[in-house]
Amino acid sequence: SKEIARLEKEKAAVLAEIDRAKGMLNNPGYLAKAPAKLVEATKEKLESSRQMLSSLDRRMEEMRSL
């Protein structure tokens, strides 16, 4: 359905954001040079992206079971 396709697209964007945040947090240069506030914001963004991914997976599962 169109809704599942939309959710798949949104999921791809969230996965890209998770990869980006993980890459930043796994970079010693970023951790050493970035202000603590920015590092914390990146960690929060990663956590919220993981929660969004979980929510998207649940919604897609619900749509497929209809």
Side-chain angles (χ1 to χ4, degrees):
S1 77
K2 284 185 179 183
E3 180 65 8
I4 289 177
R6 187 189 68 75
L7 292 172
E8 288 282 1
K9 189 174 179 181
E10 193 173 335
K11 180 179 177 177
V14 170
L15 285 170
E17 179 58 38
I18 288 172
D19 286 345
R20 189 183 75 77
K22 278 183 179 176
M24 291 171 74
L25 293 171
N26 288 329
N27 179 345
Y30 173 74
L31 296 175
K33 294 177 184 172
K37 264 185 169 176
L38 190 56
V39 173
E40 192 57 38
T42 303
K43 289 179 182 177
E44 289 172 8
K45 179 73 174 167
L46 177 59
E47 183 55 35
S48 70
S49 294
R50 285 178 171 154
Q51 290 174 4
M52 175 67 80
L53 179 62
S54 178
S55 173
L56 286 169
D57 283 339
R58 278 195 307 275
R59 284 172 36 208
M60 287 167 50
E61 196 58 42
E62 289 169 8
M63 296 293 291
R64 289 185 175 119
S65 68
L66 293 178

